Amino acid sequence: MSLTRRRAFHRLGRFVLGGALALAVAGTATAQTPRPRLVVGTQDPGFPAIVEASGTLKDAPFDLEWAVLVGPTPELAALHAGSLDVAWLGDTSLILEQARSPKEWTAETAPFRIVAAWRNTDPAYRKTSDVTAVRNSANINSLADLRGKSWAFNVGGVNHLVYALSVLKAGLTEKDVEPVILGDGHQAAAAFNSGQVDVYSGDYVRVKESLDKGEAHVLLDSDELNIPGLTVFATRGDVLANPAKSAALGDFLSRIRDTWGWYRQNLPVVETIYAEKVKFTPEKAKAQAGRNQGEFQPLDAKLLGRQQEIADILFANGIIKKKIDAAAGYTDQFARQTAPRD
């Protein structure tokens, strides 16, 4: 590995889970026209192998490196550090990031912008996306029973939103429950699965074994909370302003659009990747493959309107401390590359 790459991954520091997976794509750079390079973060350790299996990166005119990180907090830290060009986040992440920023975000000044968003549109899997689950031993059979219970989640992304909206739907405030804030969704799920907390908000698949064993049940799902359930790619403002990197990003997104098409037609292959590469049980691999299939969604007025509603709800209930313009964290610059193929 070159000194430049070693430095790049040193900047990721302790945030990198298991190091970075590099995928070399075809092509030879010339001294006059060096190939653009993208470092793309993902929270799904199986996704780089899925993209590779799909063949959609064949003959790509850019170099790509994947960095597998454990949650929104390290992804955002890596974006701030310039170690990532693109981060895999939940759609709430930039709402929370913008609310924490001492500077006002506008379409011209936002340091980060969401460039693509996807979700699972299959109703069969919408109930097994992001949930609030409860341990049966905690005797929680209604929203009112959440009062006083220990509740695990991680900050900075959709899991945080599931927690916040679940508390509000129950007619409670954070003072009425015992929040247990952990570093990432894996830690929150581990605390729940081991019985250390009563309630969990986050990824369904991470607590599936407890649900299957009859030790827990789902109290609320993302549809009941009216959560868009979007996963997004966000990038830095300087990447958008760089013609070569911006062109590479657009090309990358069009290839990921094709990956989603391949994914839906090859679920058994995806299941095998999760079982063999990520070491999931067959049952968990099947659930993960079904849950994670996606389709790009237009970054249109309807989507941005719902994001603004969520931001306003979080502000009105004191979960974020200032009112924000959610649209400042989005750009439709790559609408053509993420639109369905004709």
Side-chain angles (χ1 to χ4, degrees):
M1 180 180 290
S2 69
L3 179 60
T4 300
R5 286 183 59 188
R6 287 200 298 272
R7 286 174 176 169
F9 282 95
H10 178 71
R11 290 197 297 270
L12 288 174
R14 61 187 178 86
F15 299 122
V16 176
L17 177 63
L21 173 63
L23 295 179
V25 293
T28 303
T30 68
Q32 293 76 25
T33 56
R35 288 164 59 87
R37 172 175 170 269
L38 294 176
V39 182
V40 180
T42 176
Q43 295 180 39
D44 182 345
F47 195 67
I50 291 167
V51 177
E52 183 177 23
S54 75
T56 56
L57 286 177
K58 183 180 180 181
D59 299 326
F62 55 87
D63 294 325
L64 174 66
E65 294 183 20
W66 293 100
V68 180
L69 298 102
V70 296
T73 298
E75 291 250 27
L76 286 165
L79 274 184
H80 276 291
S83 300
L84 286 184
D85 297 310
V86 183
W88 167 304
L89 301 166
D91 55 331
T92 315
S93 296
L94 289 198
I95 289 176
L96 299 170
E97 183 71 10
Q98 185 181 167
R100 287 191 292 264
S101 175
K103 298 180 179 179
E104 295 301 316
W105 286 22
T106 69
E108 292 73 32
T109 65
F112 310 130
R113 306 288 291 279
I114 289 170
V115 294
W118 67 92
R119 68 179 295 193
N120 188 334
T121 58
D122 187 340
Y125 293 101
R126 291 291 297 152
K127 294 290 183 182
T128 56
S129 179
D130 302 296
V131 301
T132 287
V134 296
R135 301 282 306 181
N136 292 341
S137 58
N139 296 317
I140 302 170
N141 299 303
S142 69
L143 295 177
D145 295 333
L146 290 168
R147 185 182 296 273
K149 298 301 191 293
S150 55
W151 197 325
F153 66 99
N154 65 291
V155 299
V158 68
N159 296 352
H160 194 173
L161 179 64
V162 174
Y163 159 77
L165 294 187
S166 296
V167 171
L168 296 177
K169 192 172 182 68
L172 304 173
T173 70
E174 285 196 299
K175 294 180 180 179
D176 299 315
V177 300
E178 182 186 333
V180 179
I181 303 172
L182 294 167
D184 58 67
H186 296 281
Q187 294 178 33
F192 181 79
N193 290 330
S194 63
Q196 297 179 66
V197 296
D198 303 318
V199 189
Y200 159 86
S201 287
D203 186 332
Y204 170 92
V205 174
R206 291 174 184 164
V207 295
K208 185 179 187 300
E209 292 180 31
S210 292
L211 299 170
D212 289 348
K213 290 177 182 178
E215 298 172 351
H217 64 276
V218 172
L219 189 66
L220 290 167
D221 61 50
S222 55
D223 280 354
E224 291 171 308
L225 294 170
N226 196 21
I227 292 173
L230 295 170
T231 306
V232 305
F233 281 133
T235 192
R236 306 191 313 271
D238 62 291
V239 172
L240 294 174
N242 181 308
K245 284 225 172 191
S246 181
L249 177 54
D251 193 347
F252 168 76
L253 292 174
S254 71
R255 292 169 187 272
I256 297 300
R257 170 185 56 190
D258 294 342
T259 298
W260 291 133
W262 176 91
Y263 189 120
R264 289 189 292 275
Q265 300 300 318
N266 292 274
L267 283 176
V269 178
V270 176
E271 290 176 29
T272 299
I273 288 172
Y274 281 120
E276 294 183 354
K277 302 289 187 181
V278 191
K279 306 305 181 184
F280 281 172
T281 64
E283 296 79 12
K284 192 172 181 179
K286 184 178 181 65
Q288 182 81 348
R291 176 198 186 278
N292 275 10
Q293 58 184 308
E295 183 177 330
F296 280 136
Q297 303 295 295
L299 305 183
D300 56 16
K302 180 179 179 181
L303 183 147
L304 294 181
R306 180 53 185 156
Q307 296 300 309
Q308 189 62 52
E309 289 174 0
I310 289 171
D312 291 344
I313 290 169
L314 296 179
F315 173 67
N317 290 275
I319 297 164
I320 62 176
K321 303 306 179 184
K322 68 179 181 181
K323 187 174 178 63
I324 66 164
D325 176 12
Y330 285 79
T331 177
D332 64 356
Q333 180 174 337
F334 303 104
R336 179 178 61 81
Q337 290 92 335
T338 57
R341 287 201 182 275
D342 296 333

